[in-house]
PDB file of all heavy atoms in Angstrom:
ATOM      1  N   LEU A 333     -33.787 109.072 131.487  1.00  0.00           N
ATOM      2  CA  LEU A 333     -34.276 108.333 132.671  1.00  0.00           C
ATOM      3  C   LEU A 333     -33.763 106.895 132.655  1.00  0.00           C
ATOM      4  O   LEU A 333     -33.402 106.348 133.703  1.00  0.00           O
ATOM      5  CB  LEU A 333     -35.818 108.355 132.660  1.00  0.00           C
ATOM      6  CG  LEU A 333     -36.488 107.606 133.820  1.00  0.00           C
ATOM      7  CD1 LEU A 333     -35.949 108.048 135.163  1.00  0.00           C
ATOM      8  CD2 LEU A 333     -37.996 107.813 133.771  1.00  0.00           C
ATOM      9  N   LEU A 334     -33.707 106.295 131.470  1.00  0.00           N
ATOM     10  CA  LEU A 334     -33.152 104.943 131.349  1.00  0.00           C
ATOM     11  C   LEU A 334     -31.696 104.918 131.811  1.00  0.00           C
ATOM     12  O   LEU A 334     -31.278 104.016 132.544  1.00  0.00           O
ATOM     13  CB  LEU A 334     -33.262 104.500 129.891  1.00  0.00           C
ATOM     14  CG  LEU A 334     -32.807 103.068 129.580  1.00  0.00           C
ATOM     15  CD1 LEU A 334     -33.621 102.069 130.381  1.00  0.00           C
ATOM     16  CD2 LEU A 334     -32.954 102.801 128.078  1.00  0.00           C
ATOM     17  N   LEU A 335     -30.935 105.947 131.437  1.00  0.00           N
ATOM     18  CA  LEU A 335     -29.529 106.025 131.864  1.00  0.00           C
ATOM     19  C   LEU A 335     -29.438 106.177 133.386  1.00  0.00           C
ATOM     20  O   LEU A 335     -28.563 105.581 134.035  1.00  0.00           O
ATOM     21  CB  LEU A 335     -28.847 107.233 131.198  1.00  0.00           C
ATOM     22  CG  LEU A 335     -28.324 107.025 129.774  1.00  0.00           C
ATOM     23  CD1 LEU A 335     -27.840 108.344 129.224  1.00  0.00           C
ATOM     24  CD2 LEU A 335     -27.189 105.993 129.778  1.00  0.00           C
ATOM     25  N   ILE A 336     -30.312 106.985 133.970  1.00  0.00           N
ATOM     26  CA  ILE A 336     -30.300 107.190 135.421  1.00  0.00           C
ATOM     27  C   ILE A 336     -30.582 105.888 136.150  1.00  0.00           C
ATOM     28  O   ILE A 336     -29.930 105.536 137.141  1.00  0.00           O
ATOM     29  CB  ILE A 336     -31.306 108.286 135.818  1.00  0.00           C
ATOM     30  CG1 ILE A 336     -30.826 109.635 135.354  1.00  0.00           C
ATOM     31  CG2 ILE A 336     -31.511 108.307 137.354  1.00  0.00           C
ATOM     32  CD1 ILE A 336     -31.841 110.737 135.529  1.00  0.00           C
ATOM     33  N   LEU A 337     -31.551 105.113 135.642  1.00  0.00           N
ATOM     34  CA  LEU A 337     -31.852 103.818 136.243  1.00  0.00           C
ATOM     35  C   LEU A 337     -30.659 102.877 136.158  1.00  0.00           C
ATOM     36  O   LEU A 337     -30.340 102.167 137.131  1.00  0.00           O
ATOM     37  CB  LEU A 337     -33.059 103.187 135.545  1.00  0.00           C
ATOM     38  CG  LEU A 337     -34.432 103.580 136.077  1.00  0.00           C
ATOM     39  CD1 LEU A 337     -35.518 103.095 135.126  1.00  0.00           C
ATOM     40  CD2 LEU A 337     -34.647 102.978 137.472  1.00  0.00           C
ATOM     41  N   LEU A 338     -30.000 102.854 134.998  1.00  0.00           N
ATOM     42  CA  LEU A 338     -28.822 101.992 134.832  1.00  0.00           C
ATOM     43  C   LEU A 338     -27.703 102.429 135.772  1.00  0.00           C
ATOM     44  O   LEU A 338     -27.025 101.583 136.384  1.00  0.00           O
ATOM     45  CB  LEU A 338     -28.360 102.012 133.388  1.00  0.00           C
ATOM     46  CG  LEU A 338     -29.317 101.383 132.359  1.00  0.00           C
ATOM     47  CD1 LEU A 338     -28.811 101.606 130.930  1.00  0.00           C
ATOM     48  CD2 LEU A 338     -29.491  99.882 132.626  1.00  0.00           C
ATOM     49  N   MET A 339     -27.484 103.740 135.880  1.00  0.00           N
ATOM     50  CA  MET A 339     -26.386 104.248 136.719  1.00  0.00           C
ATOM     51  C   MET A 339     -26.654 104.006 138.190  1.00  0.00           C
ATOM     52  O   MET A 339     -25.735 103.637 138.938  1.00  0.00           O
ATOM     53  CB  MET A 339     -26.181 105.749 136.440  1.00  0.00           C
ATOM     54  CG  MET A 339     -25.454 106.020 135.145  1.00  0.00           C
ATOM     55  SD  MET A 339     -24.921 107.739 134.959  1.00  0.00           S
ATOM     56  CE  MET A 339     -26.459 108.529 134.537  1.00  0.00           C
ATOM     57  N   THR A 340     -27.900 104.198 138.635  1.00  0.00           N
ATOM     58  CA  THR A 340     -28.193 104.027 140.068  1.00  0.00           C
ATOM     59  C   THR A 340     -28.298 102.546 140.477  1.00  0.00           C
ATOM     60  O   THR A 340     -28.484 102.243 141.648  1.00  0.00           O
ATOM     61  CB  THR A 340     -29.469 104.773 140.465  1.00  0.00           C
ATOM     62  OG1 THR A 340     -30.538 104.433 139.556  1.00  0.00           O
ATOM     63  CG2 THR A 340     -29.239 106.279 140.435  1.00  0.00           C
ATOM     64  N   ASN A 341     -28.173 101.651 139.486  1.00  0.00           N
ATOM     65  CA  ASN A 341     -28.091 100.215 139.786  1.00  0.00           C
ATOM     66  C   ASN A 341     -26.698  99.667 139.529  1.00  0.00           C
ATOM     67  O   ASN A 341     -26.470  98.468 139.654  1.00  0.00           O
ATOM     68  CB  ASN A 341     -29.113  99.450 138.935  1.00  0.00           C
ATOM     69  CG  ASN A 341     -30.508  99.519 139.515  1.00  0.00           C
ATOM     70  OD1 ASN A 341     -30.776  99.021 140.593  1.00  0.00           O
ATOM     71  ND2 ASN A 341     -31.431 100.166 138.799  1.00  0.00           N
ATOM     72  N   ASN A 342     -25.764 100.557 139.177  1.00  0.00           N
ATOM     73  CA  ASN A 342     -24.394 100.164 138.845  1.00  0.00           C
ATOM     74  C   ASN A 342     -23.498 100.286 140.093  1.00  0.00           C
ATOM     75  O   ASN A 342     -23.280 101.403 140.579  1.00  0.00           O
ATOM     76  CB  ASN A 342     -23.875 101.046 137.725  1.00  0.00           C
ATOM     77  CG  ASN A 342     -22.521 100.606 137.201  1.00  0.00           C
ATOM     78  OD1 ASN A 342     -21.743  99.977 137.908  1.00  0.00           O
ATOM     79  ND2 ASN A 342     -22.238 100.944 135.956  1.00  0.00           N
ATOM     80  N   ARG A 343     -23.020  99.187 140.600  1.00  0.00           N
ATOM     81  CA  ARG A 343     -22.216  99.215 141.824  1.00  0.00           C
ATOM     82  C   ARG A 343     -20.881  99.938 141.639  1.00  0.00           C
ATOM     83  O   ARG A 343     -20.316 100.436 142.597  1.00  0.00           O
ATOM     84  CB  ARG A 343     -21.980  97.789 142.353  1.00  0.00           C
ATOM     85  CG  ARG A 343     -23.258  97.139 142.863  1.00  0.00           C
ATOM     86  CD  ARG A 343     -23.020  95.830 143.552  1.00  0.00           C
ATOM     87  NE  ARG A 343     -24.252  95.263 144.051  1.00  0.00           N
ATOM     88  CZ  ARG A 343     -24.836  95.593 145.204  1.00  0.00           C
ATOM     89  NH1 ARG A 343     -24.233  96.491 145.980  1.00  0.00           N
ATOM     90  NH2 ARG A 343     -25.957  95.049 145.589  1.00  0.00           N
ATOM     91  N   LYS A 344     -20.408  99.991 140.403  1.00  0.00           N
ATOM     92  CA  LYS A 344     -19.175 100.736 140.127  1.00  0.00           C
ATOM     93  C   LYS A 344     -19.374 102.226 140.402  1.00  0.00           C
ATOM     94  O   LYS A 344     -18.444 102.930 140.814  1.00  0.00           O
ATOM     95  CB  LYS A 344     -18.760 100.506 138.665  1.00  0.00           C
ATOM     96  CG  LYS A 344     -17.437 101.144 138.294  1.00  0.00           C
ATOM     97  CD  LYS A 344     -17.086 100.839 136.835  1.00  0.00           C
ATOM     98  CE  LYS A 344     -15.773 101.514 136.444  1.00  0.00           C
ATOM     99  NZ  LYS A 344     -15.438 101.248 135.018  1.00  0.00           N
ATOM    100  N   ILE A 345     -20.603 102.715 140.180  1.00  0.00           N
ATOM    101  CA  ILE A 345     -20.921 104.123 140.409  1.00  0.00           C
ATOM    102  C   ILE A 345     -21.456 104.355 141.815  1.00  0.00           C
ATOM    103  O   ILE A 345     -21.081 105.315 142.485  1.00  0.00           O
ATOM    104  CB  ILE A 345     -21.956 104.612 139.367  1.00  0.00           C
ATOM    105  CG1 ILE A 345     -21.409 104.419 137.936  1.00  0.00           C
ATOM    106  CG2 ILE A 345     -22.298 106.091 139.597  1.00  0.00           C
ATOM    107  CD1 ILE A 345     -22.440 104.704 136.856  1.00  0.00           C
ATOM    108  N   MET A 346     -22.336 103.445 142.264  1.00  0.00           N
ATOM    109  CA  MET A 346     -23.102 103.665 143.501  1.00  0.00           C
ATOM    110  C   MET A 346     -22.579 102.888 144.699  1.00  0.00           C
ATOM    111  O   MET A 346     -23.069 103.111 145.819  1.00  0.00           O
ATOM    112  CB  MET A 346     -24.569 103.311 143.254  1.00  0.00           C
ATOM    113  CG  MET A 346     -25.233 104.022 142.094  1.00  0.00           C
ATOM    114  SD  MET A 346     -25.312 105.810 142.314  1.00  0.00           S
ATOM    115  CE  MET A 346     -26.529 105.942 143.615  1.00  0.00           C
ATOM    116  N   GLY A 347     -21.640 101.990 144.490  1.00  0.00           N
ATOM    117  CA  GLY A 347     -21.171 101.181 145.604  1.00  0.00           C
ATOM    118  C   GLY A 347     -22.290 100.321 146.140  1.00  0.00           C
ATOM    119  O   GLY A 347     -22.997  99.665 145.391  1.00  0.00           O
ATOM    120  N   GLY A 348     -22.504 100.366 147.450  1.00  0.00           N
ATOM    121  CA  GLY A 348     -23.551  99.568 148.082  1.00  0.00           C
ATOM    122  C   GLY A 348     -24.907 100.257 148.102  1.00  0.00           C
ATOM    123  O   GLY A 348     -25.882  99.678 148.599  1.00  0.00           O
TER     124      GLY A 348
END
Side-chain angles (χ1 to χ4, degrees):
L333 179 53
L334 184 60
L335 277 174
I336 290 172
L337 273 169
L338 293 173
M339 284 191 283
T340 51
N341 280 295
N342 187 333
R343 292 189 178 277
K344 185 178 178 181
I345 301 172
M346 305 297 290

